[in-house]
Amino acid sequence: MPNTPLANRPHDHSHCVHTALAEADALCARQGVRLTALRRRVLELVWQSHKPLGAYDILGVLSEQDGRRAAPPTVYRALDFLLENSLVHRIASLNAFIGCNHPEHAHQGQFLICRECHVAIELEQAAISDAIIDSAKDVGFSVEAQTVEVVGLCGNCRSA
Ligand SMILES: [Zn+2]
Ligand SMILES: [Zn+2]
Ligand SMILES: [Zn+2]
């Protein structure tokens, strides 16, 4: 049996959200940056599941649930803030965002994205990012950032 990632296991997700917000509070306090109410709410929305969420979905919830008429640039700025502080990752292939559960240390995002249920499972394998950096170096390229997005079927969808 392979390891079943949290995203594929039944679990109390409110615990994930609670932990993520508490970590964000602590991290922002340490770095002396302000996690405003809107930034915090956007982070909470990104964490509503283990599936990446697009900026327009976030805008939709903000206006429906919160009755807030947040302009798109406001939400994009909040997302930029969360990205800069490593609290979320951007999944380019889906144009969507996913919460990071280990924002406290610098790392490159590696994601397994299920094409069926859209769950995104983050891997943290230094060996993968090192291999990319080395291969890039071989062709004279200096890597500044990397996000690896791998598409396939997650364990739940494979057994369904
Ligand atoms: Zn969860
Ligand atoms: Zn991460
Ligand atoms: Zn799946």
PDB file of all heavy atoms in Angstrom, residues 89 100-102 107 109 111 122, ligand 2:
ATOM      1  N   HIS A  89       0.591  28.357  -3.134  1.00  0.00           N
ATOM      2  CA  HIS A  89       1.336  28.123  -4.372  1.00  0.00           C
ATOM      3  C   HIS A  89       0.377  28.393  -5.519  1.00  0.00           C
ATOM      4  O   HIS A  89      -0.835  28.199  -5.394  1.00  0.00           O
ATOM      5  CB  HIS A  89       1.790  26.667  -4.482  1.00  0.00           C
ATOM      6  CG  HIS A  89       2.874  26.283  -3.534  1.00  0.00           C
ATOM      7  ND1 HIS A  89       4.197  26.622  -3.714  1.00  0.00           N
ATOM      8  CD2 HIS A  89       2.834  25.576  -2.378  1.00  0.00           C
ATOM      9  CE1 HIS A  89       4.914  26.130  -2.716  1.00  0.00           C
ATOM     10  NE2 HIS A  89       4.111  25.498  -1.884  1.00  0.00           N
ATOM     11  N   CYS A 100      -0.323  26.159   1.133  1.00  0.00           N
ATOM     12  CA  CYS A 100       0.880  25.371   1.420  1.00  0.00           C
ATOM     13  C   CYS A 100       0.870  25.028   2.904  1.00  0.00           C
ATOM     14  O   CYS A 100       0.627  25.882   3.744  1.00  0.00           O
ATOM     15  CB  CYS A 100       2.129  26.182   1.093  1.00  0.00           C
ATOM     16  SG  CYS A 100       3.631  25.275   1.504  1.00  0.00           S
ATOM     17  N   ASN A 101       1.133  23.762   3.214  1.00  0.00           N
ATOM     18  CA  ASN A 101       1.090  23.403   4.633  1.00  0.00           C
ATOM     19  C   ASN A 101       2.458  23.400   5.305  1.00  0.00           C
ATOM     20  O   ASN A 101       2.592  22.962   6.433  1.00  0.00           O
ATOM     21  CB  ASN A 101       0.339  22.086   4.860  1.00  0.00           C
ATOM     22  CG  ASN A 101       0.803  21.004   3.920  1.00  0.00           C
ATOM     23  OD1 ASN A 101       1.896  21.108   3.372  1.00  0.00           O
ATOM     24  ND2 ASN A 101      -0.016  19.990   3.726  1.00  0.00           N
ATOM     25  N   HIS A 102       3.462  23.885   4.617  1.00  0.00           N
ATOM     26  CA  HIS A 102       4.735  24.068   5.313  1.00  0.00           C
ATOM     27  C   HIS A 102       5.399  25.351   4.831  1.00  0.00           C
ATOM     28  O   HIS A 102       6.477  25.316   4.235  1.00  0.00           O
ATOM     29  CB  HIS A 102       5.666  22.862   5.146  1.00  0.00           C
ATOM     30  CG  HIS A 102       5.591  22.247   3.786  1.00  0.00           C
ATOM     31  ND1 HIS A 102       4.847  21.133   3.518  1.00  0.00           N
ATOM     32  CD2 HIS A 102       6.140  22.637   2.627  1.00  0.00           C
ATOM     33  CE1 HIS A 102       4.970  20.851   2.235  1.00  0.00           C
ATOM     34  NE2 HIS A 102       5.735  21.749   1.675  1.00  0.00           N
ATOM     35  N   HIS A 107      10.838  26.401  -0.133  1.00  0.00           N
ATOM     36  CA  HIS A 107      10.845  25.171  -0.921  1.00  0.00           C
ATOM     37  C   HIS A 107      10.202  25.445  -2.268  1.00  0.00           C
ATOM     38  O   HIS A 107       9.514  26.435  -2.448  1.00  0.00           O
ATOM     39  CB  HIS A 107      10.094  24.049  -0.202  1.00  0.00           C
ATOM     40  CG  HIS A 107       8.643  24.372   0.021  1.00  0.00           C
ATOM     41  ND1 HIS A 107       8.234  25.204   1.016  1.00  0.00           N
ATOM     42  CD2 HIS A 107       7.530  23.990  -0.637  1.00  0.00           C
ATOM     43  CE1 HIS A 107       6.913  25.312   0.975  1.00  0.00           C
ATOM     44  NE2 HIS A 107       6.454  24.596  -0.027  1.00  0.00           N
ATOM     45  N   GLY A 109       7.597  24.212  -5.170  1.00  0.00           N
ATOM     46  CA  GLY A 109       6.390  23.396  -5.190  1.00  0.00           C
ATOM     47  C   GLY A 109       6.448  22.286  -6.230  1.00  0.00           C
ATOM     48  O   GLY A 109       6.850  22.499  -7.367  1.00  0.00           O
ATOM     49  N   PHE A 111       3.761  19.341  -7.520  1.00  0.00           N
ATOM     50  CA  PHE A 111       2.376  18.938  -7.326  1.00  0.00           C
ATOM     51  C   PHE A 111       1.944  17.797  -8.231  1.00  0.00           C
ATOM     52  O   PHE A 111       2.248  17.787  -9.432  1.00  0.00           O
ATOM     53  CB  PHE A 111       1.435  20.129  -7.568  1.00  0.00           C
ATOM     54  CG  PHE A 111       1.605  21.192  -6.535  1.00  0.00           C
ATOM     55  CD1 PHE A 111       2.488  22.239  -6.745  1.00  0.00           C
ATOM     56  CD2 PHE A 111       0.935  21.116  -5.328  1.00  0.00           C
ATOM     57  CE1 PHE A 111       2.688  23.196  -5.778  1.00  0.00           C
ATOM     58  CE2 PHE A 111       1.117  22.070  -4.350  1.00  0.00           C
ATOM     59  CZ  PHE A 111       2.003  23.109  -4.576  1.00  0.00           C
ATOM     60  N   GLU A 122       0.897  17.999  -2.720  1.00  0.00           N
ATOM     61  CA  GLU A 122       2.221  18.612  -2.775  1.00  0.00           C
ATOM     62  C   GLU A 122       3.294  17.634  -2.318  1.00  0.00           C
ATOM     63  O   GLU A 122       3.169  16.996  -1.275  1.00  0.00           O
ATOM     64  CB  GLU A 122       2.257  19.878  -1.904  1.00  0.00           C
ATOM     65  CG  GLU A 122       3.624  20.546  -1.956  1.00  0.00           C
ATOM     66  CD  GLU A 122       3.660  21.931  -1.342  1.00  0.00           C
ATOM     67  OE1 GLU A 122       2.621  22.402  -0.850  1.00  0.00           O
ATOM     68  OE2 GLU A 122       4.746  22.526  -1.365  1.00  0.00           O
TER      69      GLU A 122
HETATM   70 ZN    ZN B   2       4.462  24.265  -0.308  1.00  0.00          ZN
END
